[in-house]
Amino acid sequence: MHDKLFHSPVALTVGLGFKREIASLAEMHDFLTNWTTSRRGPLFRNAVKACDLAVPGYVTIEQARRALVEFAQAAGILWPDLEPAAGVHAVARGYGGYAA
């Protein structure tokens, strides 16, 4: 398969909370091919079809990427957009703006 790259990778949660990035049609194809048979549904089939159609150019690469994102969201494996933030707390300020 001639590899075609996404404009930005799709980050997925795999295994025990590990992050995997899918950056191309070939990686998307490999990931979907190895997806658990018991968890394949309509959005999985849409993603596979979009991937297959994007290779010869019948749909755009971005349409295939969007199908992967929709599948990942429904399957609960889309990596969160934001990394966990460090704990932040307000500091009380005294007169003159200096921390008390």
Side-chain angles (χ1 to χ4, degrees):
M1 169 186 298
H2 179 68
D3 208 6
K4 297 180 181 183
L5 298 175
F6 298 145
H7 77 278
S8 65
V10 178
L12 306 175
T13 302
V14 295
L16 299 172
F18 294 101
K19 181 179 183 179
R20 176 173 176 187
E21 292 189 343
I22 307 297
S24 68
L25 289 178
E27 291 177 3
M28 179 180 173
H29 181 268
D30 290 343
F31 178 78
L32 293 172
T33 299
N34 293 311
W35 183 249
T36 305
T37 305
S38 64
R39 294 190 64 199
R40 295 180 180 187
L43 291 176
F44 169 83
R45 289 187 290 278
N46 287 347
V48 170
K49 185 175 182 178
C51 184
D52 291 343
L53 291 173
V55 172
Y58 294 119
V59 300
T60 67
I61 297 166
E62 290 312 310
Q63 287 172 312
R65 182 186 180 280
R66 192 173 320 118
L68 177 61
V69 168
E70 290 171 0
F71 162 69
Q73 285 175 326
I77 60 168
L78 189 63
W79 189 264
D81 285 341
L82 300 174
E83 297 294 332
V88 179
H89 60 86
V91 175
R93 302 266 178 206
Y95 181 75
Y98 295 101

